[in-house]
Amino acid sequence: MSLAGRNKIIIKRLQITKYIIAFVGAAIMVNAMFFNGIIMVDTENIWSQYNGGFEHIGYSKYNITVENITELWNRTYSYTVSGVVIDAKGTLYTYMGDYLYVLDYAGNILWTYSFYNSPVGCPALNPTGNIIYCSDNYGHLIAINTTNGQEIWNIDLSTGSALTPTVGPDGTIYLCTGADEIVAVNPNGTLMWKISLPVVFNHFVTPTVDPLRGRIYIGCEDYNLTAVDLNGTVIWKYRTGGKIYGAPAVDRNGVVYFGSDDGYMYSLYPNGTLKWKYSTGSAIRCSPAIGPDGTIYFGCWDGYLYALKPNGTLRWRYYAGTSVDSSPVITNNSYLIFTDGDYNLRILDENGTLVYQYHLGEPTYTASSVSVDNSGRIYVHTTYCLFVIGLEGVNELNINQQVIISLFVISVVFIVCANIQGKKKHFT
């Protein structure tokens, strides 16, 4: 064979190799994007901790559908009121009785972890989702491997009880204790610092982190909203007329929002000065949610769910007819989800109109806030049951969509490669 002939064969083999590389690359990309059990467009945790994340703004970056949603499944257990956290694969982590339960989207148990004493509040995932942090009534903070359920470390805070943890973006864990302390724990399980503050003892009381300004915010029993730096030094305090139960929420500009038993929703600048306050006339014990447009949503003991404009004026309010203690959640497509004291799950549209209501069917107080996953399913705890509300068959549809999208992306890659190769031949 001539030299020219051998060169043509080599060139042809190189071209085939390019197509193979393009195909494999596309397959890897599609797998990374979509093959996580549920369609994913990122690798972040879906709902990493109480009220969504360390800033506690109650915002879900996913959409929900209100038409034809129904109860998909529920799981009963002995007494626990917990939140649900969700990792990037759609795996659920929640307390039931004296156990941490880890479930798939259909409610099947993947593994459990047994506590020596009852778990408290809501667990929290680390930023990469490979560790879940839990606290219990003995004052322990426990790190557990999310792959196999094995305990990694267990720190005894010697406080009588450890409350809901918050995990910062650097992996530091912050929590309040029954000994009136705020504690910071390193990701390796060693104590970073602790300071004494008159913390309100409530299982869902937890610090809020603003990493851009290096702040931690916590409501206290002495009527103060307290700001602490990341080294454990108190920066300022803002005094209200009542105790502060709900976790504060921090927006992208560092403005802090929180309610008080004095009946006001407060908005503070990062330096601790008042931006505005709004009077409801009754106690506010939930954490507020903040929408993408800056609207602030919160429930109140006067039976209303409020929506305030960013300047602190009323946008609308919805009368639930009973106290609203649980923290609301605002979705990416502007549906507001909350539970009330009459054991109802309610969904409002962006104008405050009721579009869906589901009676949870228990003569018990519903205390946990809701969680939303990336397929639009809603998770809510009552005292003895975890309910899951959503669309039937959403996961089966998503799997079919994955195949279609995968083939489409791979086809596009082949077409682009062929066009590039054709242009190269045309100009040579």
Side-chain angles (χ1 to χ4, degrees):
M1 183 181 294
S2 66
L3 180 61
R6 285 197 297 270
N7 287 340
K8 285 182 179 179
I9 292 174
I10 292 171
I11 291 171
K12 186 172 289 187
R13 287 176 178 173
L14 287 173
Q15 291 171 351
I16 293 172
T17 302
K18 287 180 181 179
Y19 283 116
I20 293 172
I21 292 172
F23 183 88
V24 173
I28 292 171
M29 178 183 70
V30 171
N31 182 71
M33 291 175 65
F34 301 109
F35 286 176
N36 288 312
I38 305 170
I39 285 184
M40 295 290 297
V41 294
D42 57 49
T43 57
E44 299 175 354
N45 294 315
I46 295 169
W47 198 261
S48 66
Q49 47 199 298
Y50 174 73
N51 235 29
F54 53 79
E55 70 277 68
H56 300 318
I57 62 172
Y59 168 67
S60 170
K61 57 188 175 182
Y62 305 105
N63 297 338
I64 66 166
T65 301
V66 296
E67 294 82 10
N68 302 317
I69 64 173
T70 185
E71 181 186 318
L72 298 179
W73 52 267
N74 69 68
R75 184 175 287 276
T76 58
Y77 48 87
S78 58
Y79 178 89
T80 297
V81 177
S82 174
V84 176
V85 298
I86 310 167
D87 67 17
K89 296 180 180 179
T91 304
L92 314 175
Y93 303 82
T94 190
Y95 301 140
M96 296 182 185
D98 291 332
Y99 293 86
L100 171 69
Y101 273 73
V102 182
L103 311 171
D104 66 14
Y105 69 88
N108 300 309
I109 300 172
L110 302 179
W111 54 265
T112 62
Y113 177 90
S114 177
F115 295 90
Y116 294 110
N117 202 344
S118 299
V120 173
C122 181
L125 287 161
N126 73 336
T128 56
N130 65 329
I131 300 174
I132 187 84
Y133 298 108
C134 306
S135 52
D136 68 15
N137 272 322
Y138 275 168
H140 295 100
L141 177 66
I142 305 157
I144 302 168
N145 186 310
T146 58
T147 301
N148 54 26
Q150 296 300 307
E151 185 177 300
I152 300 172
W153 51 256
N154 184 329
I155 181 172
D156 184 358
L157 300 172
S158 301
T159 59
S161 185
L163 306 182
T164 295
T166 292
V167 183
D170 64 348
T172 303
I173 309 105
Y174 306 93
L175 68 159
C176 302
T177 74
D180 287 339
E181 295 174 333
I182 297 180
V183 176
V185 177
N186 292 304
N188 64 4
T190 59
L191 183 67
M192 182 182 293
W193 52 259
K194 64 179 178 178
I195 58 173
S196 295
L197 284 175
V199 178
V200 173
F201 188 81
N202 180 289
H203 288 176
F204 288 96
V205 167
T206 187
T208 297
V209 180
D210 179 2
L212 294 180
R213 279 150 283 270
R215 305 283 174 81
I216 303 160
Y217 298 104
I218 184 67
C220 294
E221 197 169 30
D222 63 358
Y223 299 6
N224 285 302
L225 191 283
T226 302
V228 179
D229 69 19
L230 299 184
N231 296 314
T233 301
V234 174
I235 305 171
W236 52 257
K237 294 186 176 186
Y238 183 89
R239 185 171 178 81
T240 71
K243 296 179 182 180
I244 303 168
Y245 281 84
V250 181
D251 70 15
R252 64 178 67 90
N253 298 313
V255 178
V256 189
Y257 304 90
F258 63 98
S260 170
D261 267 11
D262 65 5
Y264 283 93
M265 174 58 60
Y266 290 86
S267 173
L268 305 183
Y269 291 108
N271 62 4
T273 58
L274 182 68
K275 182 179 180 183
W276 52 257
K277 63 180 182 178
Y278 181 89
S279 176
T280 65
S282 192
I284 303 168
R285 291 197 168 183
C286 69
S287 299
I290 305 175
D293 62 353
T295 301
I296 302 98
Y297 304 92
F298 63 93
C300 182
W301 275 19
D302 65 0
Y304 283 95
L305 192 292
Y306 289 84
L308 303 184
K309 298 176 183 177
N311 64 5
T313 60
L314 182 67
R315 174 161 285 169
W316 51 258
R317 64 178 185 171
Y318 169 83
Y319 187 58
T322 182
S323 62
V324 181
D325 273 357
S326 68
S327 300
V329 168
I330 183 73
T331 68
N332 184 62
N333 56 342
S334 299
Y335 284 110
L336 190 73
I337 313 167
F338 68 100
T339 59
D340 63 36
D342 283 338
Y343 336 118
N344 296 304
L345 173 75
R346 300 182 190 238
I347 302 178
L348 310 181
D349 66 16
E350 59 186 345
N351 299 312
T353 302
L354 181 70
V355 294
Y356 179 80
Q357 180 173 321
Y358 185 82
H359 187 63
L360 298 170
E362 288 190 20
T364 55
Y365 175 67
T366 304
S368 74
S369 64
V370 302
S371 304
V372 179
D373 74 10
N374 59 345
S375 289
R377 290 184 301 266
I378 301 164
Y379 303 87
V380 58
H381 268 278
T382 62
T383 311
Y384 299 102
C385 192
L386 168 64
F387 290 89
V388 182
I389 311 294
L391 286 174
E392 290 281 4
V394 66
N395 293 284
E396 289 78 7
L397 290 173
N398 281 348
I399 292 171
N400 293 332
Q401 290 168 0
Q402 290 171 2
V403 175
I404 294 169
I405 294 171
S406 300
L407 294 174
F408 173 76
V409 172
I410 293 170
S411 299
V412 169
V413 171
F414 269 116
I415 292 169
V416 171
C417 290
N419 286 339
I420 292 173
Q421 191 62 36
K423 288 178 181 179
K424 286 182 178 179
K425 288 182 178 180
H426 180 75
F427 289 105
T428 54

